[in-house]
Every structure is written in structure tokens, then in C-alpha cells.
Amino acid sequence: MKANLKVIRTAPAAPVRRRGRGETTSPTRRIVDSITTAIVERRLMPGTKLAEQQIADLFSVSRTLVRQALNQLSRDRLVTLEPARGARVAEPSVEEARQVFETRHLLEGAMVRRAATELSKAQIVELRAHLRDEEAAVRRTDVPGRTRLLADFHVVLARMLGNEVLAGILAELVSRSSLIALMYQSAHSAEHSFEEHVAIVDALEKRDARAAVKLMEEHLQHVERNLRLDPRVHDLEAVLAPH
């Protein structure tokens, strides 16, 4: 597969990460954020070759810094590094996909249970603003924008609880979920995901922890159900038999 890295934009930061006031972005961080954003927005496909020199030229940095960024992405399971093949966007297995969503179920159920009792009115207003951005992106068929915003919703919730460790873990999981969706997703409805986010925020505003947990679990189940995670049929007779 020929690499096409023109899609990598030098974004100031990945959408799922917020920098503190006065914090600068290192060249390595900028590369990591840009590639992560391209994956979340589904502009970089699984298996795409990430040529060190090409990335170095795009960002006007040394290959050493590029290598540092790729190593970080490898630790985040977004990139695979192989001696003979170099760096490529990861291609998650079916089993990995199932484990990612199982982990999200465990984490996000507990997260919204806390959010239902701890979020302030101002934070609910902020979530409503995020939902308006989601809706606008869905209505104008902004595929990269809506994909990023729909994924970011989950990380925004974690960050509102003041738990940067949880936010970081979820940021990695939603990025990996985007890769999984690229490989296994069928006809997923962005509009449906947006509507489920609205229902979750409605429950949070009512301080209804039980409903919030149930809605989040159902939301993740719907996303996972839209993936084709059944193993491919390898039986020759089943594949070639006349229908």
C-alpha cells in the first residue's frame, strides 16, 4: 500500500487532549497528535505505511523525532513497528476489538454513574454545547468533524470529573475504537450516536445515575453491534457452494 501522508495535518493538538495555559507543543507531541487525529477522523486507514522521511519532511523535523513519535504511537497500540516493514497504522484483530469494547463498558459505566452525581450545572451546559457541535457536524455531513466530536464526547466526560488518568485511558481507547471501526464497521449511523449522546446528557442533568449507566451501556452495545466481528468463514465448501 502506497503511503499517502498528505492527510496528516499539523494540528496544534489532538482533539482528545487539552493543553494547560502556557504549555507548548513539542515537535514529537505534534506528530503524535496529528497522526492520532487523522486516525480518529478516519483519514488514515489501517495498514497505511508511515514513512519516517516523509513525515520528517512534512513536519520539518529530524527522523529521530519522528522515530520517537512512532514509538509513542506504538505504545498506544495505534501503530505497529516491524523491523522489515517499518511503521504502519495498526490493524486490530477481532479479539482486540472485543477487548477494547469490554474495557470501555467497564470504565464508562462507572464514569457516568459518578457524572450523574458530580457534574455541575455549568458542566451540563458545556456538554450541551458539545452536543450542538455534534449535531451541526452531522447535519452538514462533515464526516471527519462528526467522527472526532462523537469520539471526543466520552473523553470530555472523563475530563469533567477531574480524572486525567481516566481521560488519557479513554482517549487511547476511543482512538483504537476508530481504527476498529475502519476495519470492521458496517452501516453505522452517526445521527443515531448523536441522539444517544443527547439521551445520556438528559439523564445526567436529571441526576438519574441508573438511567445514565443503562443508556451508556446500550450506546456502546449499539456501536459494537455495528461492527462485523464474526470470524470469516474458512470452510471452502461453505464459501464456494452454489446458492
Side-chain angles (χ1 to χ4, degrees):
M1 180 185 298
K2 185 178 180 180
N4 179 8
L5 297 185
K6 292 180 181 179
V7 295
I8 300 179
R9 296 197 296 262
T10 54
V16 292
R17 183 179 183 271
R18 303 289 185 270
R19 297 196 306 275
R21 183 175 298 176
E23 182 184 347
T24 58
T25 307
S26 70
T28 300
R29 183 75 248 172
R30 196 157 51 94
I31 296 168
V32 169
D33 288 345
S34 185
I35 293 175
T36 301
T37 301
I39 288 171
V40 170
E41 295 183 355
R42 301 178 190 177
R43 293 181 284 109
L44 269 180
M45 301 295 291
T48 301
K49 183 173 176 59
L50 301 171
E52 287 184 8
Q53 189 59 57
Q54 189 176 8
I55 297 173
D57 293 342
L58 282 168
F59 288 88
S60 300
V61 297
S62 68
R63 290 182 65 172
T64 299
L65 292 178
V66 172
R67 205 165 293 124
Q68 290 175 1
L70 294 176
N71 282 328
Q72 175 62 57
L73 289 162
S74 175
R75 289 193 292 273
D76 293 342
R77 303 294 184 91
L78 297 180
V79 165
T80 56
L81 300 175
E82 299 179 20
R85 301 179 69 200
R88 293 179 182 273
V89 178
E91 299 177 88
S93 67
V94 167
E95 182 56 32
E96 182 180 345
R98 291 196 172 108
Q99 290 179 13
V100 165
F101 277 93
E102 180 183 8
T103 305
R104 289 190 63 180
H105 277 284
L106 293 171
L107 288 177
E108 297 193 55
M111 178 181 71
V112 294
R113 184 177 290 109
R114 269 192 62 194
T117 60
E118 296 183 19
L119 291 189
S120 67
K121 290 182 178 179
Q123 287 173 318
I124 295 295
V125 170
E126 186 178 343
L127 280 175
R128 295 288 184 195
H130 186 93
L131 292 176
R132 287 195 295 273
D133 291 340
E134 285 185 20
E135 183 178 26
V138 168
R139 290 188 182 281
R140 67 175 178 264
T141 323
D142 174 9
V143 176
R146 77 188 185 198
T147 302
R148 171 177 53 80
L149 287 163
L150 289 168
D152 203 23
F153 172 82
H154 300 263
V155 186
V156 168
L157 267 176
R159 189 159 282 114
M160 284 182 171
L161 294 175
N163 191 328
E164 287 297 323
V165 173
L166 176 60
I169 292 170
L170 275 181
E172 176 190 337
L173 288 171
V174 296
S175 297
R176 292 171 71 178
S177 296
S178 295
L179 267 180
I180 290 163
L182 279 169
M183 291 190 65
Y184 301 110
Q185 188 168 268
S186 56
H188 175 65
S189 170
E191 185 174 356
H192 190 51
S193 283
F194 159 70
E195 291 169 352
E196 291 177 338
H197 286 176
V198 171
I200 291 167
V201 175
D202 288 344
L204 294 177
E205 188 169 26
K206 294 173 184 174
R207 305 292 185 189
D208 190 339
R210 181 177 298 180
V213 172
K214 182 173 182 290
L215 288 165
M216 180 63 82
E217 288 177 348
E218 289 175 349
H219 171 55
L220 293 174
Q221 286 169 0
H222 292 159
V223 174
E224 187 174 4
R225 197 175 298 136
N226 278 322
L227 305 175
R228 296 190 181 99
L229 295 182
D230 295 327
R232 290 183 174 86
V233 177
H234 294 291
D235 180 73
L236 190 60
E237 182 179 355
V239 172
L240 299 180
H243 296 289

